[in-house]
Amino acid sequence: MALLLLVTAVLYLWNLGASGYANDFYAMAVQAGTKSWEALFFGSLDPGNVITVDKPPAAMWLMGLSGRIFGFNTWSMLVPEALCGVASVALLYAAVKRLSGPAAGLLAGAALAFTPVAALMFKFNNPDALLVLLEVAGAYCTVRALEKASTKWLLLAGVAIGFGFITKSLAAFLVLPGFALAYLVAAPTSLGKRIAQVVGAGVAVLVSAGWYVAVVALWPTSSRPYIGGSTDNSALELAFGYNGLGRIFGGEGNRGGGTGGGGGGMFGGSTGLTRMFGASFGSEVSWLLPAALIALVAGLWFTRYAARTDRTRAALLLWGGWTLVTGLTFSYMSGTIHPYYTVALAPGIAALVAIGGVELWRGRHNFGARIWLAVMIAATGVWDFILLERNSSWQPWLRYLALVLTALVVLALLFGLDRLRNTGVVLAAGVICAVMLSPVAYTIVTASLGHSGSIPASGPVSASGFGGMGGPGGSGRGGESSTEVISMLKATNTKWSAAANGSMSAASLALNSDTAVIAIGGFNGGDPAPTLEQFKQYVADGDITYYISGGTGGFGGDRGGSGSIASWVEQNYTATTVGGTTVYDLTKPLSRS
């Protein structure tokens, strides 16, 4: 276990600085949090607290506190994300071990560590790293509760998922059906007590998630930032609108940001059962998905006559519920979805493969178990070959080696060669190598490269994601901005050095100049913050020095923010060109006759 955690830490910390500030949008908020406690609490994009990111702020708390302790830079921001990955592997090991033994625990931890999308997101500054850690923590607490029908541990599971809500809204709740099902079926106590305990855990979820929503609702809107991505400046509407039902159903539910109904197709391919295996999602997380589904079916079949409290079936229900609910939700989401979301699937898949594989190996002298295990291995080898063939120019020999190795171990298993003297351990090692060779190689190459932008992807290509919201890897800086403009902003001494339309432009300016910059309209430039009247007041009070023209952020249109402000500035101030950028000095209005 110590070796596994050491390898995981090296993998996730290795070359960590190559991604620079990764996603500039969140890096801007982390930077703001190191300058203002209020900005840290709300997840504001600037220390002056005009508007927040379009997600709850828990992940910003983690990175922002690190930045306050160690100073804001690439490493202080990304090391906490990497440590979330190491902790997730440790907790998954512990959770699986308690019900299925140490061998299954080690395999589950290794399978999670060497999932490509995990190596991507545990080295990135999106909220997903903390979300996965809290979900795995919830699963561990549920497993502890299952052992002795412990109310305390079940309530702690609820608290973990509640804080997951403050990390990424309703996405945290996708694991709850699996937790509840496993406990209601297998906890060693009466049905009435089981139901009461699950209800109590639900209350714990609501309390640990709802306190932040309540604070935002009760805080006077005049003295806090606008909740970015919401339609009514409400954290609750953000959670259930743009970040909740809007993601699932698309359309108007995503109007606070993103692409509405078109997002699912644009970023993730067509909806349906095959989406997780498609071009966008397949190489992120599906390497072991066929094996996980086969293991779930086989495990439930072989435990169909077991006692209600059977530990193996309880584990299958917990992790199977996690995988099925999360996978089906991602498969049929019509709103904005990105392939890296699938990191939330990785722990469930890893646990199912480990539990099912170990149990079938233990029972391999039964012909039925041997067949199920052979099918698991063969399906993994064939599917991994297909995934590698989609990127055929990268290490073409690898897919053939994996396929040959798979064929050899399947044949050896079917012919019972493990029964020969001293061959069982060799065959077991061969099975692990056959199953893990391809995802391990793809994970290592993912971890070795820098990734930046708003939509990072795993694999052997280092690239900035869609929209260019990330700087060049290795620079440790934000996106491109002219040195003349940056020098100009550094020389200011106002509350905000500048204002720019949307976070894409503003984040680059703030990160490169280390000054406060207003991201007019938030992520996509379309949120009504600041309003024109607020902006005029900032200028009248001498709080802003420059307005930087151009840039709209991500998607969407004007909702009363950047467009009207841009027109007002153009009508009242003189445009100058600095380093190829159009700049307005807001301290020097046009003279009027």
Side-chain angles (χ1 to χ4, degrees):
M1 179 55 188
L3 179 60
L4 172 61
L5 294 184
L6 177 62
V7 169
T8 304
V10 170
L11 180 70
Y12 292 168
L13 292 169
W14 171 37
N15 203 29
L16 192 61
S19 294
Y21 284 129
N23 189 336
D24 284 1
F25 178 62
Y26 293 115
M28 182 183 184
V30 174
Q31 181 193 50
T34 64
K35 299 174 182 290
S36 163
W37 286 108
E38 184 177 343
L40 179 65
F41 180 76
F42 287 107
S44 298
L45 282 169
D46 67 278
N49 294 290
V50 173
I51 189 170
T52 71
V53 295
D54 58 359
K55 297 290 185 296
M60 307 310 120
W61 297 345
L62 182 66
M63 294 181 283
L65 288 173
S66 175
R68 280 184 170 269
I69 296 170
F70 300 107
F72 175 68
N73 54 58
T74 295
W75 283 83
S76 68
M77 181 177 64
L78 295 182
V79 166
E81 305 293 275
L83 295 181
C84 281
V86 177
S88 296
V89 170
L91 280 174
L92 182 63
Y93 160 79
V96 172
K97 174 189 174 183
R98 296 193 77 90
L99 294 183
S100 303
L106 285 171
L107 288 175
L112 173 59
F114 286 98
T115 299
V117 73
L120 176 70
M121 297 315 296
F122 287 128
K123 297 167 70 79
F124 212 72
N125 61 340
N126 281 28
D128 303 77
L130 180 59
L131 173 68
V132 171
L133 173 58
L134 290 169
E135 288 180 326
V136 176
Y140 173 78
C141 293
T142 302
V143 167
R144 294 296 301 267
L146 274 166
E147 293 176 329
K148 296 182 179 180
S150 169
T151 301
K152 177 189 73 174
W153 280 107
L154 199 61
L155 292 177
L156 287 174
V159 170
I161 301 306
F163 274 87
F165 178 89
I166 308 177
T167 303
K168 205 176 178 186
S169 301
L170 296 183
F173 291 175
L174 294 178
V175 299
L176 287 177
F179 293 1
L181 178 63
Y183 195 83
L184 288 171
V185 169
T189 189
S190 66
L191 177 60
K193 185 176 180 180
R194 278 177 272 153
I195 294 174
Q197 288 174 313
V198 168
V199 171
V203 173
V205 172
L206 294 177
V207 172
S208 55
W211 72 267
Y212 180 79
V213 175
V215 168
V216 173
L218 294 173
W219 199 295
T221 56
S222 60
S223 61
R224 67 162 171 81
Y226 183 89
I227 304 302
S230 70
T231 59
D232 63 356
N233 199 9
S234 160
L236 190 63
E237 194 282 331
L238 174 66
F240 284 90
Y242 170 46
N243 282 332
L245 300 180
R247 298 277 171 167
I248 296 175
F249 300 110
E252 290 302 307
N254 267 2
R255 63 183 179 273
T259 60
M266 184 174 185
F267 297 123
S270 301
T271 59
L273 285 175
T274 60
R275 182 188 254 183
M276 293 299 101
F277 300 94
S280 296
F281 292 89
S283 59
E284 301 291 338
V285 77
S286 74
W287 302 85
L288 298 177
L289 182 54
L293 296 176
I294 293 169
L296 176 60
V297 173
L300 292 177
W301 173 257
F302 283 114
T303 59
R304 66 192 186 278
Y305 297 127
R308 179 182 64 80
T309 57
D310 181 74
R311 296 163 69 89
T312 299
R313 184 171 57 201
L316 291 170
L317 292 175
L318 190 155
W319 300 108
W322 175 317
T323 302
L324 291 178
V325 173
T326 303
L328 289 173
T329 301
F330 289 166
S331 296
Y332 285 95
M333 282 173 59
S334 298
T336 305
I337 182 171
H338 302 309
Y340 67 78
Y341 289 4
T342 55
V343 68
L345 263 176
I349 293 172
L352 286 176
V353 170
I355 294 167
V358 167
E359 292 298 333
L360 290 173
W361 176 262
R362 289 170 179 163
R364 67 189 183 278
H365 298 303
N366 176 288
F367 181 72
R370 184 180 292 268
I371 293 297
W372 277 105
L373 183 58
V375 171
M376 273 184 65
I377 299 166
T380 301
V382 171
W383 179 242
D384 288 357
F385 180 90
I386 294 172
L387 288 176
L388 291 172
E389 195 170 36
R390 290 177 179 175
N391 197 353
S392 58
S393 62
W394 179 72
Q395 308 296 341
W397 57 270
L398 180 63
R399 63 182 182 273
Y400 294 103
L401 175 62
L403 194 63
V404 169
L405 184 58
T406 298
L408 291 176
V409 297
V410 167
L411 290 173
L413 184 65
L414 289 176
F415 284 101
L417 295 186
D418 57 297
R419 297 176 184 177
L420 299 178
R421 185 178 180 182
N422 298 325
T423 58
V425 174
V426 175
L427 181 56
V431 169
I432 294 172
C433 288
V435 170
M436 293 299 298
L437 177 62
S438 299
V440 165
Y442 215 79
T443 298
I444 290 174
V445 73
T446 297
S448 69
L449 299 173
H451 298 273
S452 61
S454 57
I455 312 177
S458 62
V461 178
S462 178
S464 177
F466 185 87
M469 286 183 59
S475 67
R477 308 297 294 171
E480 304 256 350
S481 297
S482 71
T483 56
E484 292 91 341
V485 171
I486 296 306
S487 297
M488 181 184 71
L489 298 186
K490 287 181 177 180
T492 62
N493 57 9
T494 49
K495 183 176 182 179
W496 294 283
S497 65
N501 297 339
S503 62
M504 193 179 301
S505 297
S508 170
L509 296 168
L511 292 170
N512 284 295
S513 68
D514 193 27
T515 63
V517 178
I518 296 177
I520 300 174
F523 171 70
N524 61 11
D527 284 321
T531 63
L532 177 57
E533 293 306 314
Q534 288 173 326
F535 189 82
K536 288 180 179 180
Q537 190 61 54
Y538 297 153
V539 175
D541 293 342
D543 288 336
I544 312 174
T545 304
Y546 298 106
Y547 172 82
I548 311 296
S549 184
T552 57
F555 307 101
D558 177 33
R559 289 170 51 199
S562 60
S564 57
I565 289 173
S567 299
W568 178 78
V569 171
E570 290 168 4
Q571 293 167 12
N572 292 278
Y573 295 87
T574 301
T576 59
T577 301
V578 179
T581 302
T582 301
V583 177
Y584 295 83
D585 187 341
L586 299 181
T587 66
K588 299 176 181 179
L590 290 171
S591 59
R592 301 295 183 182
S593 58

